[in-house]
């Protein structure tokens, strides 16, 4: 296959000259092509087919021990100035970075096939969708892109002769000498040669050296968040790290809700939640990314630009996420999970003991009694088609998107932050998003246990420009429509603990009780009390799940004044990073909060 699109053809020629692959394959998105990628990987011995009876059409990949997760310290926003990238991004001068990377790319695909993947983020042909072309030398990437995005010939047709696309270049960074093969090992480059680079002014992505997840499947974090956040800023919409869910009450009334939580705070679980409140229903639109634009009626509409789930496997069980478990029974890719003797999957927190000896994610025998390390890598993943989720909403691919009534922010906050709290207005809601984050519970990075790692809007690793300007962009959305058409904003916290460390809230399906209150705030049915920090439910507005006492409920739904005074200090420190890019509206919100707390 080829294309009449000159710019695309020219780019492919340029990359071919630089990377010198043995062959070029234009991806058509067919099942035969997917099967061929899996066959190549199995032959290469870094993928194992799973038990056809138990898990038809499934395969497990074992990556290299140095290539198991997104590498944030090797991820760059190479804007023209450091100021444009802002204090939360790694910045390198784009010319310097290109020079370094061109040297790495030179001949990097020798001995390999170069795949050209035309893909659409969002339903093909939808006005909201964006087209990307990923060039990669990894069959693993091709197979995963088939599930996570819409790949194929149809995308090239839509692109036509001169349509716009985001060029996404990827190489595992492991050229092969004449006659050499990967020797059964997942190919990648050493850590100090890995680069996940974004050139926001050119809307271009260059990734080198990693074959894993968000480093390599460039439609997801790189295009749909980092580059899309820049496009959204320029075009007046929002590209967000948010799940999208559909909530239906017993009378059949529907509300759509988006929610931003930092990575590994249960977005996938909430997106597929099975409510414990009788008569209520949750259906899924997306579990990780939302693109939101104003519709003609002045409301904010969201689409899920992805076509699959790339979920963290450990901890996923019938109890924590029955619908995710049902989504991965077939046609799924697993990465770094453990395998049972009969070639089925297992991981820590899957909800049952291993049924005997296992092969762990590094390929070694593993027995529970003698194990010193986990059998599955803690960041082991499943890649599953969204269409296989039993509660996928029928309208999940509607090109118009779904109208959003409420936006939730959250994080893991064992103390201070209540179970749920509604913002006073849009700007106060933006304030809430800007201070979101999780408390450090185990020594991680260079942060002290007990301090809060701020992750504004859960976008810390994903915002493609200065975070202060991003806050400004959010504030500016208010002016684009009537106040009553904007979604209501809430802050939720499922992770409160007592001083002795006991969870106060059971979470999972019981979170539906909070969703019900949010829903009824949107319809005007639920009562709230005004407090210095926002609108909160009265103590009996949310039914108590089993095991939660009235005392517990009171602890989760009252304002901890001392805790909030400490919080103010920590927010001031956080805001200090953004210098004069911090919108004055947020400083005013902070001052107003302080004043309300002092008066209380
Ligand atoms: C993800 C992440 O993989 O947020 O979705 O890290
Ligand atoms: Mn994510």
């Amino acid at each position: 296959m080829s294309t009449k699109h000159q710019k695309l053809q020219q780019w492919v020629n340029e990359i071919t000259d630089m990377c010198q692959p043995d062959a070029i394959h234009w991806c058509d998105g067919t099942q035969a092509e997917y099967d061929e990628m899996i066959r190549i990987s199995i032959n290469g011995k870094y993928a194992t087919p799973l038990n056809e009876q138990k898990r038809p059409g499934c395969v497990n990949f074992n990556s290299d021990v140095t290539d198991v997760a997104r590498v944030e310290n090797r991820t760059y926003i190479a804007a023209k100035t450091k100021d444009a990238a802002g204090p939360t991004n790694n910045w390198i001068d784009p010319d310097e970075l290109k020079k370094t990377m061109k040297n790495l790319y030179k001949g990097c695909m020798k001995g390999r096939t170069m795949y050209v993947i035309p893909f659409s983020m969002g339903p093909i042909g939808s006005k909201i969708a964006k087209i990307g072309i990923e060039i990669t030398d990894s069959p693993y990437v091709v197979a995963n892109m088939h599930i996570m995005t819409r790949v194929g010939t149809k995308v090239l047709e839509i692109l036509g002769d001169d349509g716009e696309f985001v060029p996404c270049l990827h190489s595992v960074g492991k050229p092969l000498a004449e006659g050499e093969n990967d020797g059964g090992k997942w190919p990648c480059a050493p850590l100090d040669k890995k680069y996940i680079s974004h050139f926001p002014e050119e809307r271009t992505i260059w990734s080198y050296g990693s074959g894993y997840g968000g480093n390599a499947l460039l439609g997801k974090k790189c295009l749909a968040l980092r580059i899309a956040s820049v496009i959204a800023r320029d075009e007046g919409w929002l590209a967000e790290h948010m799940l999208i869910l559909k909530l239906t009450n017993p009378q059949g009334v529907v509300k759509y809700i988006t929610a931003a939580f930092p990575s590994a705070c249960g977005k996938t679980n909430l997106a597929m939640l099975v409510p414990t409140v009788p008569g209520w229903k949750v259906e899924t639109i997306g579990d990780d990314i939302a693109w939101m634009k104003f519709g003609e009626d002045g409301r904010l509409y969201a689409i899920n630009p992805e076509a699959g789930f790339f979920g963290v496997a450990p901890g996923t069980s019938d109890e924590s996420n029955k619908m995710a478990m049902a989504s991965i029974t077939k046609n799924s890719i697993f990465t770094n999970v453990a395998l049972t003797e009969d070639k089925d999957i297992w991981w820590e927190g899957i909800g049952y003991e291993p049924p005997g000896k296992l092969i762990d994610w590094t390929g070694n025998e593993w027995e529970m009694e003698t194990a010193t390390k986990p059998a599955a890598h803690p960041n082991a993943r499943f890649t599953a088609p969204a269409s296989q989720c039993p509660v996928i909403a029928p309208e999940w691919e509607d090109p118009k998107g779904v109208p959003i009534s409420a936006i939730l922010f959250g994080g893991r906050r064992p103390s201070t932050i209540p179970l749920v709290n509604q913002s006073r207005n849009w700007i106060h809601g933006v304030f809430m998003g800007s201070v979101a984050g999780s408390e450090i519970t185990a020594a991680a990075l260079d942060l002290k246990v007990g301090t809060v790692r701020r992750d504004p809007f859960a976008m810390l690793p994903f915002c493609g420009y200065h975070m202060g300007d991003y806050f400004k962009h959010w504030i500016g959305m208010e002016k684009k429509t009537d106040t009553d058409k904007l979604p209501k904003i809430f802050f939720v916290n499922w992770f409160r603990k007592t001083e002795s460390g006991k969870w106060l809230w059971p979470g999972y399906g019981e979170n539906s009780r909070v969703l019900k209150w949010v829903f009824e705030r949107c319809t005007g049915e639920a009562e709230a009390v005004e407090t210095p920090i926002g609108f909160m439910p009265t103590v009996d507005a949310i039914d108590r799940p089993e095991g939660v006492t009235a005392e517990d409920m009171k602890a989760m739904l009252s304002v901890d004044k001392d805790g909030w005074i400490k919080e103010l200090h920590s927010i001031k420190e956080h805001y200090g990073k953004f210098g004069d890019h911090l919108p004055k509206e947020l400083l005013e919100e902070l001052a107003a909060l302080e004043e309300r707390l002092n008066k209380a």
Side-chain angles (χ1 to χ4, degrees):
M1 198 205 308
S2 64
T3 174
K4 290 205 191 79
H5 194 298
Q6 272 196 357
K7 212 170 132 197
L8 171 57
Q9 190 63 61
Q10 211 175 345
W11 178 62
V12 171
N13 292 346
E14 225 174 83
I15 302 304
T16 308
D17 288 347
M18 178 165 72
C19 300
Q20 299 165 32
D22 281 11
I24 302 178
H25 174 89
W26 287 75
C27 294
D28 60 12
T30 57
Q31 183 65 37
E33 181 175 83
Y34 178 89
D35 293 344
E36 178 62 6
M37 296 303 115
I38 301 298
R39 194 193 61 76
I40 293 171
S41 310
I42 292 170
N43 280 355
K45 296 201 171 56
Y46 49 85
T48 311
L50 300 187
N51 185 317
E52 254 320 292
Q53 264 74 51
K54 290 194 162 173
R55 226 158 274 272
C58 291
V59 62
N60 180 47
F61 282 77
N62 292 101
S63 80
D64 187 83
V65 292
T66 66
D67 200 23
V68 290
R70 287 187 293 102
V71 280
E72 287 180 20
N73 59 349
R74 307 291 310 168
T75 298
Y76 298 94
I77 301 296
K80 287 200 178 108
T81 65
K82 189 167 175 9
D83 194 53
T88 57
N89 284 310
N90 295 316
W91 177 82
I92 308 186
D93 173 77
D95 295 334
E96 187 190 322
L97 182 59
K98 278 195 179 163
K99 213 164 125 197
T100 308
M101 290 191 75
K102 276 183 182 167
N103 274 330
L104 292 168
Y105 280 131
K106 208 182 284 168
C108 71
M109 294 189 187
K110 277 192 183 150
R112 299 188 189 277
T113 297
M114 177 174 113
Y115 301 96
V116 183
I117 315 172
F119 65 96
S120 175
M121 297 311 289
I124 297 181
S126 138
K127 272 204 241 143
I128 299 190
K130 295 272 173 219
I131 290 179
I133 308 283
E134 178 160 352
I135 289 183
T136 179
D137 51 6
S138 161
Y140 171 83
V141 167
V142 177
N144 274 271
M145 288 293 283
H146 267 234
I147 298 178
M148 294 304 298
T149 73
R150 285 107 176 152
V151 168
T153 317
K154 189 90 197 289
V155 178
L156 284 184
E157 280 167 26
I158 299 277
L159 195 61
D161 294 353
D162 59 359
E164 245 184 71
F165 68 95
V166 177
C168 309
L169 171 57
H170 171 252
S171 170
V172 294
K174 187 89 180 48
L176 295 167
E178 188 82 40
E180 187 191 352
N181 63 37
D182 286 315
K185 280 180 63 186
W186 166 276
C188 63
L191 189 59
D192 65 344
K193 296 272 183 310
K194 294 190 207 296
Y195 286 89
I196 321 301
S197 306
H198 307 74
F199 302 92
E201 287 100 357
E202 293 173 31
R203 299 184 179 175
T204 299
I205 300 159
W206 281 13
S207 165
Y208 183 90
S210 166
Y212 203 88
N215 300 333
L217 313 176
L218 302 184
K220 192 176 179 61
K221 303 299 187 182
C222 300
L223 194 163
L225 288 176
R226 297 194 192 97
I227 294 295
S229 63
V230 173
I231 302 177
R233 175 200 61 192
D234 297 346
E235 295 180 354
W237 51 280
L238 297 167
E240 300 301 323
H241 189 204
M242 289 181 177
L243 66 89
I244 313 167
L245 67 80
K246 173 184 179 185
L247 184 59
T248 309
N249 77 0
Q251 289 70 46
V253 180
V254 168
K255 298 277 170 216
Y256 298 95
I257 299 175
T258 62
F261 307 142
S263 303
C265 282
K267 285 216 310 296
T268 304
N269 295 347
L270 187 66
M272 300 174 195
L273 165 150
V274 180
T276 51
V277 190
W280 287 71
K281 192 159 88 176
V282 166
E283 289 160 281
T284 314
I285 306 278
D287 79 327
D288 197 40
I289 299 176
W291 284 354
M292 295 189 278
K293 296 189 182 175
F294 286 108
E296 276 161 21
D297 60 359
R299 297 191 64 192
L300 205 49
Y301 284 74
I303 67 155
N304 168 14
E306 302 192 280
F309 309 125
F310 185 67
V312 178
T316 306
S317 66
D318 276 345
E319 198 196 337
S320 68
N321 196 338
K322 204 176 174 60
M323 296 304 138
M325 291 301 280
S327 308
I328 57 175
T329 51
K330 57 185 180 189
N331 311 323
S332 298
I333 294 174
F334 296 88
T335 313
N336 290 341
V337 305
L339 297 186
T340 62
E341 281 174 311
D342 66 350
K343 297 274 187 296
D344 197 11
I345 51 171
W346 191 86
W347 50 69
E348 282 70 20
I350 198 168
Y352 52 86
E353 305 263 291
K357 263 194 219 151
L358 301 176
I359 298 294
D360 73 11
W361 73 277
T362 61
N364 293 316
E365 281 200 0
W366 188 96
E367 276 182 88
M368 179 110 125
E369 295 69 33
T370 52
T372 54
K373 287 187 194 144
H377 187 277
N379 190 39
R381 297 283 179 145
F382 55 78
T383 320
S387 58
Q388 289 186 180
C389 179
V391 291
I392 196 78
E395 64 274 45
W396 80 281
E397 296 192 278
D398 186 338
K400 273 199 331 296
V402 293
I404 300 303
S405 295
I407 297 174
L408 316 184
F409 296 114
R412 289 178 183 266
R413 296 297 306 267
S415 66
T416 312
I417 308 300
L419 179 62
V420 57
N421 177 21
Q422 184 185 349
S423 79
R424 299 163 63 84
N425 51 43
W426 181 260
I427 298 190
H428 182 224
V430 175
F431 170 81
M432 284 177 166
S434 75
V435 301
S438 288
E439 202 166 297
I440 305 299
T441 47
L445 309 165
D446 52 352
L447 291 166
K448 270 212 320 265
V449 172
T451 57
V452 179
R453 183 193 193 229
R454 301 283 163 191
D455 186 350
F457 294 76
M459 284 289 277
L460 186 69
F462 306 122
C463 182
Y465 61 102
H466 196 299
M467 188 66 88
D469 296 341
Y470 167 88
F471 297 159
K472 221 172 276 166
H473 180 56
W474 261 85
I475 289 172
M477 297 304 276
E478 192 191 23
K479 299 272 181 320
K480 293 183 190 286
T481 193
D482 305 333
T483 308
D484 62 340
K485 295 201 170 137
L486 285 165
K488 298 192 185 325
I489 301 181
F490 299 79
F491 204 100
V492 297
N493 179 23
W494 324 131
F495 298 96
R496 275 295 285 270
K497 284 184 172 175
T498 61
E499 282 191 5
S500 60
K502 177 184 138 284
W503 293 113
L504 279 172
W505 183 251
Y508 303 116
E510 300 293 10
N511 293 339
S512 55
R513 295 173 197 272
V514 176
L515 293 183
K516 174 174 180 287
W517 187 76
V518 166
F519 183 107
E520 291 176 346
R521 286 298 290 164
C522 296
T523 55
E525 293 163 273
E527 290 295 320
V529 276
E530 189 172 351
T531 77
I533 60 169
F535 295 102
M536 301 224 293
T538 50
V539 236
D540 46 9
I542 293 179
D543 281 344
R544 280 190 277 129
E546 218 183 285
V548 176
T549 65
E551 272 300 288
D552 294 340
M553 219 56 198
K554 209 167 140 215
M556 287 183 284
L557 290 176
S558 49
V559 180
D560 166 6
K561 191 170 165 185
D562 292 344
W564 273 96
I565 299 288
K566 279 199 208 124
E567 186 74 7
L568 291 175
H569 288 297
S570 153
I571 293 172
K572 281 179 194 162
E573 205 178 304
H574 163 61
Y575 274 180
K577 286 194 209 112
F578 304 109
D580 59 5
H581 288 257
L582 187 77
K584 67 168 187 347
E585 290 87 342
L586 294 185
L587 282 174
E588 285 163 11
E589 278 302 325
L590 181 61
L593 172 61
E594 185 160 19
E595 198 181 313
R596 290 195 301 269
L597 279 166
N598 284 336
K599 272 202 208 134

